[in-house]
Amino acid sequence: MIRVELISTGDEVITGMIDDTNASWLCQELLNMGIQVQRRSTIGDNLDDLTAILTERSQYCDLIFFNGGLGPTTDDCTTDAVCKALGAESVFLDNWYQRMLQWHQAHKRVMPESNKKQAYIPKGATFIDNTCGTACGYMVKINQALCFFTPGVPSEFKEMFKLGIKPYLQEHILNDSKTQVKRLFTFGISESLLQDKIANYSLPEHIVIGYRSYYPTIELKIIAHGATETEFTQAVKTITALAQNYIYSEDSDDIQREIKELIDTRSLAIFDNVSEGIIGMQLNQKISNMTVLATAHQCTESLVLSLNFDKHDYALILDKGTHEAGANIYIYNNKKDLQYKFFVNINATIKARKKQAYALIAQILFLQLLKDGKVSLKPEIATLTEIKE
């Protein structure tokens, strides 16, 4: 397996003044490509510390992604650290310098002298273009590691990765074997319990599993790098069967889009005194033919009548009712004269975010009924009971 590490630099990052969203984003992008990051480090703007970590980690890694420290100010010392680690000088890129001059002229600005610093890269490094900023990137081999250096500005960094680094990785790092990724989105089970249910399955050598927990969902990734088609297909089949009670979507967690595709232009009405309007806001991103009443009041016949539920093609009711805990979820398919009633009680450890879980489970129930006419969800950390009347 490729040994991959991320290094982020910046006093503002290590002190917590800003969140390192670049590292989280990059880890997900790499995982989607079948590359698993093993370690992340954060270093302040100190030349000796930067040189030391590059020298040390490049002896153990195959790939290092180094983010930040390519700006024009004196605390931006990444390139100096790379030169020290390499024992090399920096070289001046006149073409990049001219690009910076043209950018400033186009924006009717005078380029500060300090920006000239950004036209230097280590000798022997390969230039990586930056289409939306003044800090170019570069890649260079240090010891056994191929290292990629990028600016910390998120918009510049992401564009540079998509246009320059990702294509390089696909052609030169992953070209020797096929990489495949299957994404499964689950609800109603903890990350540890989900892992326990899969633990007894012995994965083939070239297949790994990755977990991403973002309440109230856990994403399960099955990643194959160099596995045969048969091995990958069998792994997906087996793991899907083991987790089938909790899977609500595959390959994409855009449940609102899936619902939209199924109901098309037909109308939807929602009454909600459980999720504080979250379900309406989420579905409204994709569905325009919709009426929503989000309220703190109890659901009554007069309120339902005011929404003209019977005039809509579909209707959802999320109602606390008289329950001390839990809620009723009613789903109406007026096109087929079908009605469903569920009692749901979610045992959420993060109580402040419980309403998000209720909004999601209502959409999962609605989606599964639309697709299959039945509910396959069997959550471990929630009571889900269909009430037959």
Side-chain angles (χ1 to χ4, degrees):
M1 182 180 291
I2 303 172
R3 177 79 188 180
V4 184
E5 295 193 11
L6 271 57
I7 301 174
S8 304
T9 183
D11 289 341
E12 69 280 6
V13 178
I14 201 168
T15 58
M17 293 176 64
I18 64 171
D19 293 328
D20 189 4
T21 58
N22 284 348
S24 301
W25 181 87
L26 180 58
C27 284
Q28 285 300 306
E29 287 293 310
L30 292 172
L31 194 58
N32 288 338
M33 297 174 65
I35 299 174
Q36 177 105 34
V37 173
Q38 283 81 36
R39 175 168 163 168
R40 285 167 51 174
S41 305
T42 306
I43 305 295
D45 295 313
N46 180 278
L47 179 58
D48 291 337
D49 290 343
L50 295 173
T51 305
I53 195 170
L54 280 170
T55 302
E56 176 196 349
R57 300 318 305 162
S58 62
Q59 298 177 60
Y60 299 97
C61 298
D62 300 301
L63 297 175
I64 292 177
F65 296 88
F66 193 103
N67 188 239
L70 297 180
T73 56
T74 55
D75 61 338
D76 292 308
C77 49
T78 291
T79 297
D80 291 337
V82 176
C83 288
K84 287 189 69 174
L86 286 169
E89 298 179 344
S90 61
V91 294
F92 183 72
L93 301 180
D94 186 63
N95 287 345
W96 184 250
Y97 181 70
Q98 296 302 323
R99 278 267 299 274
M100 287 193 293
L101 283 174
Q102 291 168 10
W103 185 91
H104 282 83
Q105 291 169 359
H107 290 80
K108 296 183 173 19
R109 299 179 186 177
V110 176
M111 188 173 80
E113 182 64 24
S114 59
N115 279 107
K116 187 175 183 179
K117 172 185 176 183
Q118 295 178 291
Y120 286 89
I121 67 172
K123 186 176 182 179
T126 300
F127 168 84
I128 301 175
D129 197 6
N130 180 350
T131 61
C132 50
T134 59
C136 70
Y138 50 87
M139 60 181 175
V140 67
K141 190 81 174 287
I142 304 177
N143 293 319
Q144 75 169 31
L146 178 59
C147 305
F148 297 88
F149 296 88
T150 50
V153 179
S155 58
E156 298 179 26
F157 159 67
K158 291 178 181 179
E159 195 75 0
M160 188 177 293
F161 178 82
K162 291 176 182 177
L163 298 181
I165 298 174
K166 184 176 181 178
Y168 181 89
L169 293 173
Q170 291 170 327
E171 181 178 354
H172 298 281
I173 305 299
L174 303 176
N175 66 335
D176 59 333
S177 57
K178 187 177 181 182
T179 299
Q180 300 178 82
V181 180
K182 180 67 175 181
R183 305 172 71 190
L184 304 173
F185 297 90
T186 69
F187 173 87
I189 187 169
S190 66
E191 187 175 5
S192 55
L193 185 55
L194 180 60
Q195 180 173 284
D196 286 349
K197 289 187 177 293
I198 299 172
N200 290 332
Y201 173 56
S202 181
L203 286 166
E205 180 182 358
H206 300 291
I207 297 178
V208 297
I209 293 177
Y211 298 88
R212 178 190 175 212
S213 179
Y214 53 109
Y215 189 88
T217 295
I218 296 171
E219 179 184 356
L220 179 62
K221 283 192 176 77
I222 306 165
I223 306 161
H225 182 58
T228 66
E229 188 68 34
T230 301
E231 287 175 328
F232 181 68
T233 300
Q234 184 58 50
V236 170
K237 182 179 178 180
T238 301
I239 294 170
T240 300
L242 292 170
Q244 64 181 347
N245 290 343
Y246 323 104
I247 297 170
Y248 69 87
S249 188
E250 299 184 16
D251 300 320
S252 170
D253 64 343
D254 191 349
I255 191 170
Q256 294 81 33
R257 177 188 55 77
E258 292 187 72
I259 291 173
K260 164 62 178 175
E261 289 176 353
L262 288 169
I263 70 173
D264 198 18
T265 58
R266 293 184 286 274
S267 61
L268 172 65
I270 298 175
F271 175 93
D272 172 27
N273 65 17
V274 177
S275 77
E276 297 183 6
I278 289 176
I279 187 171
M281 288 187 292
Q282 290 177 341
L283 286 169
N284 189 52
Q285 295 174 23
K286 298 290 180 1
I287 301 170
S288 56
N289 192 8
M290 187 170 69
T291 301
V292 180
L293 177 58
T295 177
H297 296 292
Q298 191 171 347
C299 184
T300 64
E301 185 177 350
S302 61
L303 282 173
V304 171
L305 288 172
S306 70
L307 283 173
N308 293 318
F309 266 31
D310 59 333
K311 305 297 184 185
H312 288 78
D313 298 301
Y314 303 99
L316 296 177
I317 295 177
L318 283 68
D319 180 34
K320 292 178 184 176
T322 58
H323 305 295
E324 291 185 9
N328 292 324
I329 297 176
Y330 303 86
I331 299 173
Y332 298 89
N333 184 339
N334 293 328
K335 297 286 289 182
K336 297 183 178 181
D337 195 26
L338 296 173
Q339 300 179 14
Y340 307 88
K341 180 180 179 180
F342 301 89
F343 172 73
V344 181
N345 186 14
I346 296 174
N347 181 21
T349 56
I350 310 174
K351 292 184 178 179
R353 299 173 67 183
K354 187 182 286 190
K355 57 184 178 289
Q356 296 174 336
Y358 278 106
L360 179 56
I361 197 171
Q363 292 174 78
I364 293 171
L365 296 175
F366 186 38
L367 176 63
Q368 292 188 343
L369 288 168
L370 285 171
K371 288 172 67 175
D372 304 316
K374 61 181 181 180
V375 170
S376 59
L377 184 71
K378 297 178 182 178
E380 299 275 352
I381 57 173
T383 301
L384 174 60
T385 307
E386 184 174 0
I387 301 172
K388 302 289 187 179
E389 295 182 343

